[in-house]
Each structure stands twice: as C-alpha cells, then as structure tokens.
PDB file of all heavy atoms in Angstrom:
ATOM      1  N   SER A  89      72.057-222.972-118.707  1.00 63.00           N
ATOM      2  CA  SER A  89      71.712-221.696-118.106  1.00 63.00           C
ATOM      3  C   SER A  89      72.241-221.708-116.680  1.00 63.00           C
ATOM      4  O   SER A  89      71.863-222.553-115.875  1.00 63.00           O
ATOM      5  CB  SER A  89      70.195-221.502-118.097  1.00 63.00           C
ATOM      6  OG  SER A  89      69.830-220.476-117.204  1.00 63.00           O
ATOM      7  N   LEU A  90      73.161-220.789-116.362  1.00 69.00           N
ATOM      8  CA  LEU A  90      73.728-220.750-115.018  1.00 69.00           C
ATOM      9  C   LEU A  90      72.639-220.488-113.987  1.00 69.00           C
ATOM     10  O   LEU A  90      72.623-221.095-112.919  1.00 69.00           O
ATOM     11  CB  LEU A  90      74.802-219.670-114.930  1.00 69.00           C
ATOM     12  CG  LEU A  90      75.523-219.532-113.588  1.00 69.00           C
ATOM     13  CD1 LEU A  90      76.189-220.845-113.198  1.00 69.00           C
ATOM     14  CD2 LEU A  90      76.545-218.414-113.649  1.00 69.00           C
ATOM     15  N   THR A  91      71.724-219.600-114.301  1.00 69.00           N
ATOM     16  CA  THR A  91      70.632-219.297-113.377  1.00 69.00           C
ATOM     17  C   THR A  91      69.788-220.544-113.124  1.00 69.00           C
ATOM     18  O   THR A  91      69.466-220.872-111.980  1.00 69.00           O
ATOM     19  CB  THR A  91      69.743-218.178-113.933  1.00 69.00           C
ATOM     20  OG1 THR A  91      70.545-217.015-114.154  1.00 69.00           O
ATOM     21  CG2 THR A  91      68.625-217.848-112.962  1.00 69.00           C
ATOM     22  N   ALA A  92      69.458-221.242-114.197  1.00 67.00           N
ATOM     23  CA  ALA A  92      68.659-222.458-114.039  1.00 67.00           C
ATOM     24  C   ALA A  92      69.429-223.517-113.256  1.00 67.00           C
ATOM     25  O   ALA A  92      68.857-224.246-112.445  1.00 67.00           O
ATOM     26  CB  ALA A  92      68.262-223.005-115.409  1.00 67.00           C
ATOM     27  N   LEU A  93      70.750-223.590-113.483  1.00 73.00           N
ATOM     28  CA  LEU A  93      71.570-224.577-112.785  1.00 73.00           C
ATOM     29  C   LEU A  93      71.541-224.354-111.275  1.00 73.00           C
ATOM     30  O   LEU A  93      71.442-225.285-110.494  1.00 73.00           O
ATOM     31  CB  LEU A  93      73.013-224.492-113.298  1.00 73.00           C
ATOM     32  CG  LEU A  93      74.021-225.495-112.734  1.00 73.00           C
ATOM     33  CD1 LEU A  93      73.670-226.906-113.146  1.00 73.00           C
ATOM     34  CD2 LEU A  93      75.433-225.132-113.182  1.00 73.00           C
ATOM     35  N   LEU A  94      71.599-223.075-110.860  1.00 77.00           N
ATOM     36  CA  LEU A  94      71.648-222.745-109.437  1.00 77.00           C
ATOM     37  C   LEU A  94      70.286-222.796-108.761  1.00 77.00           C
ATOM     38  O   LEU A  94      70.194-223.021-107.563  1.00 77.00           O
ATOM     39  CB  LEU A  94      72.263-221.354-109.245  1.00 77.00           C
ATOM     40  CG  LEU A  94      73.750-221.239-109.577  1.00 77.00           C
ATOM     41  CD1 LEU A  94      74.181-219.793-109.550  1.00 77.00           C
ATOM     42  CD2 LEU A  94      74.581-222.063-108.616  1.00 77.00           C
ATOM     43  N   PHE A  95      69.242-222.546-109.511  1.00 74.00           N
ATOM     44  CA  PHE A  95      67.913-222.431-108.906  1.00 74.00           C
ATOM     45  C   PHE A  95      66.964-223.519-109.390  1.00 74.00           C
ATOM     46  O   PHE A  95      65.768-223.297-109.502  1.00 74.00           O
ATOM     47  CB  PHE A  95      67.322-221.052-109.216  1.00 74.00           C
ATOM     48  CG  PHE A  95      68.103-219.918-108.618  1.00 74.00           C
ATOM     49  CD1 PHE A  95      69.019-219.217-109.371  1.00 74.00           C
ATOM     50  CD2 PHE A  95      67.938-219.568-107.284  1.00 74.00           C
ATOM     51  CE1 PHE A  95      69.757-218.172-108.821  1.00 74.00           C
ATOM     52  CE2 PHE A  95      68.666-218.526-106.727  1.00 74.00           C
ATOM     53  CZ  PHE A  95      69.580-217.830-107.497  1.00 74.00           C
ATOM     54  N   SER A  96      67.522-224.710-109.658  1.00 70.00           N
ATOM     55  CA  SER A  96      66.689-225.792-110.188  1.00 70.00           C
ATOM     56  C   SER A  96      66.302-226.821-109.139  1.00 70.00           C
ATOM     57  O   SER A  96      65.525-227.720-109.421  1.00 70.00           O
ATOM     58  CB  SER A  96      67.433-226.503-111.323  1.00 70.00           C
ATOM     59  OG  SER A  96      68.602-227.137-110.818  1.00 70.00           O
ATOM     60  N   GLY A  97      66.843-226.701-107.926  1.00 72.00           N
ATOM     61  CA  GLY A  97      66.621-227.724-106.914  1.00 72.00           C
ATOM     62  C   GLY A  97      65.314-227.571-106.179  1.00 72.00           C
ATOM     63  O   GLY A  97      64.434-226.799-106.574  1.00 72.00           O
ATOM     64  N   PRO A  98      65.170-228.276-105.083  1.00 79.00           N
ATOM     65  CA  PRO A  98      63.960-228.158-104.255  1.00 79.00           C
ATOM     66  C   PRO A  98      63.790-226.728-103.743  1.00 79.00           C
ATOM     67  O   PRO A  98      64.745-225.941-103.713  1.00 79.00           O
ATOM     68  CB  PRO A  98      64.235-229.132-103.099  1.00 79.00           C
ATOM     69  CG  PRO A  98      65.275-230.061-103.605  1.00 79.00           C
ATOM     70  CD  PRO A  98      66.109-229.283-104.557  1.00 79.00           C
ATOM     71  N   LEU A  99      62.577-226.416-103.327  1.00 84.00           N
ATOM     72  CA  LEU A  99      62.271-225.064-102.868  1.00 84.00           C
ATOM     73  C   LEU A  99      63.215-224.620-101.753  1.00 84.00           C
ATOM     74  O   LEU A  99      63.684-223.475-101.741  1.00 84.00           O
ATOM     75  CB  LEU A  99      60.822-224.994-102.388  1.00 84.00           C
ATOM     76  CG  LEU A  99      60.366-223.642-101.807  1.00 84.00           C
ATOM     77  CD1 LEU A  99      60.505-222.538-102.849  1.00 84.00           C
ATOM     78  CD2 LEU A  99      58.938-223.737-101.290  1.00 84.00           C
ATOM     79  N   SER A 100      63.517-225.507-100.815  1.00 85.00           N
ATOM     80  CA  SER A 100      64.390-225.133 -99.704  1.00 85.00           C
ATOM     81  C   SER A 100      65.771-224.705-100.201  1.00 85.00           C
ATOM     82  O   SER A 100      66.352-223.732 -99.709  1.00 85.00           O
ATOM     83  CB  SER A 100      64.520-226.301 -98.724  1.00 85.00           C
ATOM     84  OG  SER A 100      65.042-227.450 -99.369  1.00 85.00           O
ATOM     85  N   GLU A 101      66.304-225.426-101.204  1.00 84.00           N
ATOM     86  CA  GLU A 101      67.616-225.076-101.758  1.00 84.00           C
ATOM     87  C   GLU A 101      67.554-223.757-102.518  1.00 84.00           C
ATOM     88  O   GLU A 101      68.486-222.942-102.435  1.00 84.00           O
ATOM     89  CB  GLU A 101      68.112-226.190-102.681  1.00 84.00           C
ATOM     90  CG  GLU A 101      68.476-227.477-101.964  1.00 84.00           C
ATOM     91  CD  GLU A 101      69.073-228.494-102.897  1.00 84.00           C
ATOM     92  OE1 GLU A 101      69.341-228.140-104.079  1.00 84.00           O
ATOM     93  OE2 GLU A 101      69.285-229.646-102.474  1.00 84.00           O
ATOM     94  N   ARG A 102      66.475-223.537-103.236  1.00 85.00           N
ATOM     95  CA  ARG A 102      66.338-222.283-103.976  1.00 85.00           C
ATOM     96  C   ARG A 102      66.253-221.097-103.032  1.00 85.00           C
ATOM     97  O   ARG A 102      66.836-220.038-103.293  1.00 85.00           O
ATOM     98  CB  ARG A 102      65.110-222.328-104.893  1.00 85.00           C
ATOM     99  CG  ARG A 102      65.185-223.399-105.957  1.00 85.00           C
ATOM    100  CD  ARG A 102      64.234-223.120-107.112  1.00 85.00           C
ATOM    101  NE  ARG A 102      62.846-222.993-106.717  1.00 85.00           N
ATOM    102  CZ  ARG A 102      61.991-224.005-106.643  1.00 85.00           C
ATOM    103  NH1 ARG A 102      62.406-225.234-106.924  1.00 85.00           N
ATOM    104  NH2 ARG A 102      60.738-223.807-106.303  1.00 85.00           N
ATOM    105  N   LEU A 103      65.543-221.264-101.916  1.00 91.00           N
ATOM    106  CA  LEU A 103      65.440-220.174-100.938  1.00 91.00           C
ATOM    107  C   LEU A 103      66.802-219.864-100.313  1.00 91.00           C
ATOM    108  O   LEU A 103      67.144-218.688-100.107  1.00 91.00           O
ATOM    109  CB  LEU A 103      64.425-220.543 -99.855  1.00 91.00           C
ATOM    110  CG  LEU A 103      62.958-220.586-100.291  1.00 91.00           C
ATOM    111  CD1 LEU A 103      62.081-221.091 -99.158  1.00 91.00           C
ATOM    112  CD2 LEU A 103      62.484-219.203-100.762  1.00 91.00           C
ATOM    113  N   VAL A 104      67.572-220.910-100.019  1.00 91.00           N
ATOM    114  CA  VAL A 104      68.914-220.691 -99.466  1.00 91.00           C
ATOM    115  C   VAL A 104      69.787-219.942-100.467  1.00 91.00           C
ATOM    116  O   VAL A 104      70.520-219.012-100.115  1.00 91.00           O
ATOM    117  CB  VAL A 104      69.568-222.035 -99.082  1.00 91.00           C
ATOM    118  CG1 VAL A 104      71.058-221.842 -98.764  1.00 91.00           C
ATOM    119  CG2 VAL A 104      68.854-222.642 -97.886  1.00 91.00           C
ATOM    120  N   GLN A 105      69.700-220.333-101.745  1.00 90.00           N
ATOM    121  CA  GLN A 105      70.502-219.666-102.774  1.00 90.00           C
ATOM    122  C   GLN A 105      70.097-218.199-102.917  1.00 90.00           C
ATOM    123  O   GLN A 105      70.944-217.311-103.045  1.00 90.00           O
ATOM    124  CB  GLN A 105      70.353-220.384-104.119  1.00 90.00           C
ATOM    125  CG  GLN A 105      71.245-219.830-105.218  1.00 90.00           C
ATOM    126  CD  GLN A 105      72.716-219.997-104.915  1.00 90.00           C
ATOM    127  OE1 GLN A 105      73.164-221.056-104.514  1.00 90.00           O
ATOM    128  NE2 GLN A 105      73.492-218.930-105.102  1.00 90.00           N
ATOM    129  N   HIS A 106      68.785-217.933-102.874  1.00 91.00           N
ATOM    130  CA  HIS A 106      68.305-216.549-102.944  1.00 91.00           C
ATOM    131  C   HIS A 106      68.815-215.752-101.741  1.00 91.00           C
ATOM    132  O   HIS A 106      69.216-214.579-101.884  1.00 91.00           O
ATOM    133  CB  HIS A 106      66.784-216.516-102.988  1.00 91.00           C
ATOM    134  CG  HIS A 106      66.212-216.780-104.348  1.00 91.00           C
ATOM    135  ND1 HIS A 106      66.448-215.960-105.425  1.00 91.00           N
ATOM    136  CD2 HIS A 106      65.403-217.780-104.806  1.00 91.00           C
ATOM    137  CE1 HIS A 106      65.814-216.430-106.495  1.00 91.00           C
ATOM    138  NE2 HIS A 106      65.184-217.528-106.138  1.00 91.00           N
ATOM    139  N   TRP A 107      68.797-216.356-100.560  1.00 94.00           N
ATOM    140  CA  TRP A 107      69.251-215.669 -99.351  1.00 94.00           C
ATOM    141  C   TRP A 107      70.743-215.349 -99.450  1.00 94.00           C
ATOM    142  O   TRP A 107      71.170-214.238 -99.123  1.00 94.00           O
ATOM    143  CB  TRP A 107      68.972-216.536 -98.124  1.00 94.00           C
ATOM    144  CG  TRP A 107      69.570-216.007 -96.861  1.00 94.00           C
ATOM    145  CD1 TRP A 107      70.594-216.558 -96.153  1.00 94.00           C
ATOM    146  CD2 TRP A 107      69.190-214.828 -96.145  1.00 94.00           C
ATOM    147  NE1 TRP A 107      70.884-215.804 -95.049  1.00 94.00           N
ATOM    148  CE2 TRP A 107      70.035-214.723 -95.017  1.00 94.00           C
ATOM    149  CE3 TRP A 107      68.219-213.853 -96.345  1.00 94.00           C
ATOM    150  CZ2 TRP A 107      69.945-213.686 -94.098  1.00 94.00           C
ATOM    151  CZ3 TRP A 107      68.130-212.812 -95.425  1.00 94.00           C
ATOM    152  CH2 TRP A 107      68.973-212.731 -94.320  1.00 94.00           C
ATOM    153  N   ARG A 108      71.544-216.303 -99.920  1.00 94.00           N
ATOM    154  CA  ARG A 108      72.973-216.069-100.072  1.00 94.00           C
ATOM    155  C   ARG A 108      73.240-214.941-101.064  1.00 94.00           C
ATOM    156  O   ARG A 108      74.093-214.072-100.833  1.00 94.00           O
ATOM    157  CB  ARG A 108      73.668-217.348-100.528  1.00 94.00           C
ATOM    158  CG  ARG A 108      73.829-218.382 -99.423  1.00 94.00           C
ATOM    159  CD  ARG A 108      74.484-219.629 -99.939  1.00 94.00           C
ATOM    160  NE  ARG A 108      74.732-220.576 -98.851  1.00 94.00           N
ATOM    161  CZ  ARG A 108      74.778-221.877 -99.014  1.00 94.00           C
ATOM    162  NH1 ARG A 108      74.588-222.415-100.210  1.00 94.00           N
ATOM    163  NH2 ARG A 108      75.013-222.673 -97.981  1.00 94.00           N
ATOM    164  N   SER A 109      72.517-214.963-102.164  1.00 93.00           N
ATOM    165  CA  SER A 109      72.706-213.912-103.167  1.00 93.00           C
ATOM    166  C   SER A 109      72.299-212.552-102.620  1.00 93.00           C
ATOM    167  O   SER A 109      72.967-211.538-102.861  1.00 93.00           O
ATOM    168  CB  SER A 109      71.904-214.240-104.424  1.00 93.00           C
ATOM    169  OG  SER A 109      72.367-215.435-105.026  1.00 93.00           O
ATOM    170  N   PHE A 110      71.209-212.513-101.868  1.00 95.00           N
ATOM    171  CA  PHE A 110      70.743-211.257-101.280  1.00 95.00           C
ATOM    172  C   PHE A 110      71.774-210.713-100.291  1.00 95.00           C
ATOM    173  O   PHE A 110      72.135-209.524-100.335  1.00 95.00           O
ATOM    174  CB  PHE A 110      69.403-211.469-100.571  1.00 95.00           C
ATOM    175  CG  PHE A 110      68.971-210.286 -99.734  1.00 95.00           C
ATOM    176  CD1 PHE A 110      68.451-209.149-100.337  1.00 95.00           C
ATOM    177  CD2 PHE A 110      69.095-210.312 -98.353  1.00 95.00           C
ATOM    178  CE1 PHE A 110      68.061-208.052 -99.568  1.00 95.00           C
ATOM    179  CE2 PHE A 110      68.711-209.227 -97.577  1.00 95.00           C
ATOM    180  CZ  PHE A 110      68.192-208.091 -98.189  1.00 95.00           C
ATOM    181  N   CYS A 111      72.266-211.576 -99.391  1.00 97.00           N
ATOM    182  CA  CYS A 111      73.247-211.132 -98.404  1.00 97.00           C
ATOM    183  C   CYS A 111      74.543-210.683 -99.075  1.00 97.00           C
ATOM    184  O   CYS A 111      75.156-209.688 -98.657  1.00 97.00           O
ATOM    185  CB  CYS A 111      73.531-212.253 -97.412  1.00 97.00           C
ATOM    186  SG  CYS A 111      72.145-212.648 -96.319  1.00 97.00           S
ATOM    187  N   SER A 112      74.950-211.387-100.129  1.00 96.00           N
ATOM    188  CA  SER A 112      76.157-210.995-100.857  1.00 96.00           C
ATOM    189  C   SER A 112      75.964-209.645-101.523  1.00 96.00           C
ATOM    190  O   SER A 112      76.880-208.807-101.541  1.00 96.00           O
ATOM    191  CB  SER A 112      76.511-212.050-101.902  1.00 96.00           C
ATOM    192  OG  SER A 112      76.840-213.279-101.289  1.00 96.00           O
ATOM    193  N   TYR A 113      74.783-209.434-102.069  1.00 96.00           N
ATOM    194  CA  TYR A 113      74.500-208.140-102.696  1.00 96.00           C
ATOM    195  C   TYR A 113      74.568-207.023-101.665  1.00 96.00           C
ATOM    196  O   TYR A 113      75.170-205.966-101.914  1.00 96.00           O
ATOM    197  CB  TYR A 113      73.126-208.171-103.355  1.00 96.00           C
ATOM    198  CG  TYR A 113      72.688-206.819-103.875  1.00 96.00           C
ATOM    199  CD1 TYR A 113      73.174-206.332-105.084  1.00 96.00           C
ATOM    200  CD2 TYR A 113      71.791-206.029-103.155  1.00 96.00           C
ATOM    201  CE1 TYR A 113      72.793-205.084-105.554  1.00 96.00           C
ATOM    202  CE2 TYR A 113      71.402-204.782-103.619  1.00 96.00           C
ATOM    203  CZ  TYR A 113      71.906-204.318-104.819  1.00 96.00           C
ATOM    204  OH  TYR A 113      71.524-203.081-105.274  1.00 96.00           O
ATOM    205  N   MET A 114      73.966-207.239-100.508  1.00 97.00           N
ATOM    206  CA  MET A 114      73.993-206.225 -99.463  1.00 97.00           C
ATOM    207  C   MET A 114      75.429-205.949 -99.015  1.00 97.00           C
ATOM    208  O   MET A 114      75.819-204.799 -98.776  1.00 97.00           O
ATOM    209  CB  MET A 114      73.148-206.661 -98.276  1.00 97.00           C
ATOM    210  CG  MET A 114      71.658-206.786 -98.578  1.00 97.00           C
ATOM    211  SD  MET A 114      70.920-205.218 -99.089  1.00 97.00           S
ATOM    212  CE  MET A 114      71.023-204.289 -97.553  1.00 97.00           C
ATOM    213  N   GLY A 115      76.231-207.017 -98.921  1.00 96.00           N
ATOM    214  CA  GLY A 115      77.627-206.838 -98.549  1.00 96.00           C
ATOM    215  C   GLY A 115      78.405-206.028 -99.578  1.00 96.00           C
ATOM    216  O   GLY A 115      79.279-205.235 -99.231  1.00 96.00           O
ATOM    217  N   SER A 116      78.073-206.225-100.845  1.00 95.00           N
ATOM    218  CA  SER A 116      78.789-205.499-101.895  1.00 95.00           C
ATOM    219  C   SER A 116      78.419-204.023-101.935  1.00 95.00           C
ATOM    220  O   SER A 116      79.214-203.190-102.378  1.00 95.00           O
ATOM    221  CB  SER A 116      78.493-206.134-103.260  1.00 95.00           C
ATOM    222  OG  SER A 116      77.140-205.883-103.662  1.00 95.00           O
ATOM    223  N   ARG A 117      77.223-203.668-101.454  1.00 95.00           N
ATOM    224  CA  ARG A 117      76.746-202.291-101.571  1.00 95.00           C
ATOM    225  C   ARG A 117      77.185-201.386-100.435  1.00 95.00           C
ATOM    226  O   ARG A 117      77.346-200.192-100.615  1.00 95.00           O
ATOM    227  CB  ARG A 117      75.208-202.275-101.652  1.00 95.00           C
ATOM    228  CG  ARG A 117      74.624-203.069-102.799  1.00 95.00           C
ATOM    229  CD  ARG A 117      75.143-202.607-104.130  1.00 95.00           C
ATOM    230  NE  ARG A 117      74.707-201.256-104.452  1.00 95.00           N
ATOM    231  CZ  ARG A 117      75.075-200.594-105.547  1.00 95.00           C
ATOM    232  NH1 ARG A 117      75.916-201.161-106.407  1.00 95.00           N
ATOM    233  NH2 ARG A 117      74.624-199.365-105.771  1.00 95.00           N
ATOM    234  N   THR A 118      77.394-201.937 -99.244  1.00 94.00           N
ATOM    235  CA  THR A 118      77.765-201.085 -98.124  1.00 94.00           C
ATOM    236  C   THR A 118      79.253-200.746 -98.184  1.00 94.00           C
ATOM    237  O   THR A 118      80.076-201.592 -98.536  1.00 94.00           O
ATOM    238  CB  THR A 118      77.442-201.750 -96.771  1.00 94.00           C
ATOM    239  OG1 THR A 118      77.840-200.878 -95.717  1.00 94.00           O
ATOM    240  CG2 THR A 118      78.158-203.072 -96.629  1.00 94.00           C
ATOM    241  N   PRO A 119      79.644-199.503 -97.858  1.00 93.00           N
ATOM    242  CA  PRO A 119      81.057-199.133 -97.886  1.00 93.00           C
ATOM    243  C   PRO A 119      81.807-199.452 -96.602  1.00 93.00           C
ATOM    244  O   PRO A 119      83.025-199.304 -96.545  1.00 93.00           O
ATOM    245  CB  PRO A 119      80.998-197.609 -98.106  1.00 93.00           C
ATOM    246  CG  PRO A 119      79.735-197.193 -97.427  1.00 93.00           C
ATOM    247  CD  PRO A 119      78.770-198.334 -97.633  1.00 93.00           C
ATOM    248  N   PHE A 120      81.086-199.889 -95.569  1.00 95.00           N
ATOM    249  CA  PHE A 120      81.692-200.054 -94.256  1.00 95.00           C
ATOM    250  C   PHE A 120      82.152-201.491 -94.026  1.00 95.00           C
ATOM    251  O   PHE A 120      81.410-202.446 -94.247  1.00 95.00           O
ATOM    252  CB  PHE A 120      80.703-199.644 -93.164  1.00 95.00           C
ATOM    253  CG  PHE A 120      80.143-198.265 -93.360  1.00 95.00           C
ATOM    254  CD1 PHE A 120      78.795-198.094 -93.637  1.00 95.00           C
ATOM    255  CD2 PHE A 120      80.968-197.158 -93.301  1.00 95.00           C
ATOM    256  CE1 PHE A 120      78.273-196.829 -93.836  1.00 95.00           C
ATOM    257  CE2 PHE A 120      80.462-195.886 -93.494  1.00 95.00           C
ATOM    258  CZ  PHE A 120      79.107-195.706 -93.770  1.00 95.00           C
ATOM    259  N   SER A 121      83.383-201.639 -93.542  1.00 96.00           N
ATOM    260  CA  SER A 121      83.967-202.964 -93.359  1.00 96.00           C
ATOM    261  C   SER A 121      83.138-203.840 -92.423  1.00 96.00           C
ATOM    262  O   SER A 121      82.890-205.013 -92.711  1.00 96.00           O
ATOM    263  CB  SER A 121      85.394-202.830 -92.817  1.00 96.00           C
ATOM    264  OG  SER A 121      85.971-204.109 -92.616  1.00 96.00           O
ATOM    265  N   GLY A 122      82.707-203.279 -91.290  1.00 95.00           N
ATOM    266  CA  GLY A 122      81.929-204.064 -90.335  1.00 95.00           C
ATOM    267  C   GLY A 122      80.628-204.578 -90.919  1.00 95.00           C
ATOM    268  O   GLY A 122      80.232-205.724 -90.669  1.00 95.00           O
ATOM    269  N   TRP A 123      79.953-203.749 -91.687  1.00 97.00           N
ATOM    270  CA  TRP A 123      78.698-204.179 -92.313  1.00 97.00           C
ATOM    271  C   TRP A 123      78.949-205.196 -93.411  1.00 97.00           C
ATOM    272  O   TRP A 123      78.157-206.124 -93.615  1.00 97.00           O
ATOM    273  CB  TRP A 123      77.935-202.972 -92.852  1.00 97.00           C
ATOM    274  CG  TRP A 123      77.180-202.250 -91.789  1.00 97.00           C
ATOM    275  CD1 TRP A 123      77.503-201.065 -91.182  1.00 97.00           C
ATOM    276  CD2 TRP A 123      75.953-202.690 -91.172  1.00 97.00           C
ATOM    277  NE1 TRP A 123      76.569-200.736 -90.234  1.00 97.00           N
ATOM    278  CE2 TRP A 123      75.606-201.715 -90.202  1.00 97.00           C
ATOM    279  CE3 TRP A 123      75.140-203.807 -91.330  1.00 97.00           C
ATOM    280  CZ2 TRP A 123      74.474-201.827 -89.409  1.00 97.00           C
ATOM    281  CZ3 TRP A 123      74.009-203.923 -90.539  1.00 97.00           C
ATOM    282  CH2 TRP A 123      73.688-202.954 -89.604  1.00 97.00           C
ATOM    283  N   LYS A 124      80.039-205.023 -94.143  1.00 97.00           N
ATOM    284  CA  LYS A 124      80.376-206.030 -95.159  1.00 97.00           C
ATOM    285  C   LYS A 124      80.584-207.396 -94.490  1.00 97.00           C
ATOM    286  O   LYS A 124      80.072-208.419 -94.961  1.00 97.00           O
ATOM    287  CB  LYS A 124      81.638-205.610 -95.918  1.00 97.00           C
ATOM    288  CG  LYS A 124      81.414-204.533 -96.980  1.00 97.00           C
ATOM    289  CD  LYS A 124      82.700-204.238 -97.716  1.00 97.00           C
ATOM    290  CE  LYS A 124      82.469-203.244 -98.838  1.00 97.00           C
ATOM    291  NZ  LYS A 124      81.671-203.803 -99.947  1.00 97.00           N
ATOM    292  N   ALA A 125      81.345-207.398 -93.396  1.00 97.00           N
ATOM    293  CA  ALA A 125      81.581-208.649 -92.684  1.00 97.00           C
ATOM    294  C   ALA A 125      80.266-209.247 -92.185  1.00 97.00           C
ATOM    295  O   ALA A 125      80.048-210.463 -92.261  1.00 97.00           O
ATOM    296  CB  ALA A 125      82.541-208.418 -91.519  1.00 97.00           C
ATOM    297  N   PHE A 126      79.372-208.402 -91.683  1.00 97.00           N
ATOM    298  CA  PHE A 126      78.069-208.850 -91.188  1.00 97.00           C
ATOM    299  C   PHE A 126      77.292-209.582 -92.284  1.00 97.00           C
ATOM    300  O   PHE A 126      76.802-210.701 -92.092  1.00 97.00           O
ATOM    301  CB  PHE A 126      77.278-207.639 -90.684  1.00 97.00           C
ATOM    302  CG  PHE A 126      75.850-207.944 -90.302  1.00 97.00           C
ATOM    303  CD1 PHE A 126      75.534-208.379 -89.027  1.00 97.00           C
ATOM    304  CD2 PHE A 126      74.823-207.787 -91.233  1.00 97.00           C
ATOM    305  CE1 PHE A 126      74.208-208.662 -88.681  1.00 97.00           C
ATOM    306  CE2 PHE A 126      73.504-208.058 -90.890  1.00 97.00           C
ATOM    307  CZ  PHE A 126      73.197-208.497 -89.615  1.00 97.00           C
ATOM    308  N   TRP A 127      77.186-208.953 -93.441  1.00 97.00           N
ATOM    309  CA  TRP A 127      76.372-209.539 -94.519  1.00 97.00           C
ATOM    310  C   TRP A 127      77.050-210.754 -95.147  1.00 97.00           C
ATOM    311  O   TRP A 127      76.397-211.761 -95.454  1.00 97.00           O
ATOM    312  CB  TRP A 127      76.057-208.495 -95.573  1.00 97.00           C
ATOM    313  CG  TRP A 127      74.998-207.533 -95.160  1.00 97.00           C
ATOM    314  CD1 TRP A 127      75.142-206.201 -94.889  1.00 97.00           C
ATOM    315  CD2 TRP A 127      73.611-207.837 -94.950  1.00 97.00           C
ATOM    316  NE1 TRP A 127      73.939-205.656 -94.518  1.00 97.00           N
ATOM    317  CE2 TRP A 127      72.976-206.634 -94.550  1.00 97.00           C
ATOM    318  CE3 TRP A 127      72.844-208.990 -95.046  1.00 97.00           C
ATOM    319  CZ2 TRP A 127      71.617-206.575 -94.260  1.00 97.00           C
ATOM    320  CZ3 TRP A 127      71.493-208.939 -94.761  1.00 97.00           C
ATOM    321  CH2 TRP A 127      70.893-207.742 -94.378  1.00 97.00           C
ATOM    322  N   TYR A 128      78.370-210.674 -95.338  1.00 97.00           N
ATOM    323  CA  TYR A 128      79.034-211.795 -95.992  1.00 97.00           C
ATOM    324  C   TYR A 128      79.060-213.040 -95.105  1.00 97.00           C
ATOM    325  O   TYR A 128      78.995-214.162 -95.619  1.00 97.00           O
ATOM    326  CB  TYR A 128      80.445-211.402 -96.424  1.00 97.00           C
ATOM    327  CG  TYR A 128      80.466-210.599 -97.711  1.00 97.00           C
ATOM    328  CD1 TYR A 128      81.161-209.400 -97.809  1.00 97.00           C
ATOM    329  CD2 TYR A 128      79.791-211.055 -98.843  1.00 97.00           C
ATOM    330  CE1 TYR A 128      81.181-208.668 -98.988  1.00 97.00           C
ATOM    331  CE2 TYR A 128      79.797-210.340-100.025  1.00 97.00           C
ATOM    332  CZ  TYR A 128      80.494-209.148-100.092  1.00 97.00           C
ATOM    333  OH  TYR A 128      80.499-208.436-101.262  1.00 97.00           O
ATOM    334  N   ARG A 129      79.152-212.860 -93.806  1.00 97.00           N
ATOM    335  CA  ARG A 129      79.043-214.026 -92.926  1.00 97.00           C
ATOM    336  C   ARG A 129      77.689-214.695 -93.093  1.00 97.00           C
ATOM    337  O   ARG A 129      77.592-215.929 -93.105  1.00 97.00           O
ATOM    338  CB  ARG A 129      79.259-213.601 -91.478  1.00 97.00           C
ATOM    339  CG  ARG A 129      80.722-213.453 -91.068  1.00 97.00           C
ATOM    340  CD  ARG A 129      80.878-213.390 -89.561  1.00 97.00           C
ATOM    341  NE  ARG A 129      82.283-213.394 -89.158  1.00 97.00           N
ATOM    342  CZ  ARG A 129      82.973-212.316 -88.849  1.00 97.00           C
ATOM    343  NH1 ARG A 129      82.385-211.125 -88.876  1.00 97.00           N
ATOM    344  NH2 ARG A 129      84.250-212.408 -88.497  1.00 97.00           N
TER     345      ARG A 129
END
C-alpha cells in the first residue's frame, strides 16, 4: 500500500509527510505563480 508505505513511520515523520502533501496540494490549486512558489518551497 503506497499510503501505508509513506505514513508508516514515527509520528514526527508522518506529520512531515502530511505537511508536504498539504503544501503541495495548496500549490497545485492556486493559479498564481508567486503563490505556487510559496507553497511548493
């Protein structure tokens, strides 16, 4: 399970993975280049 593979570690690692996914999602949704750069960084 890819989801299980990515979110199977210690709580700190799972939180980092959730944060990265959240920021990537926000970057994908905004149409503005500056905001995309902000979230993807």
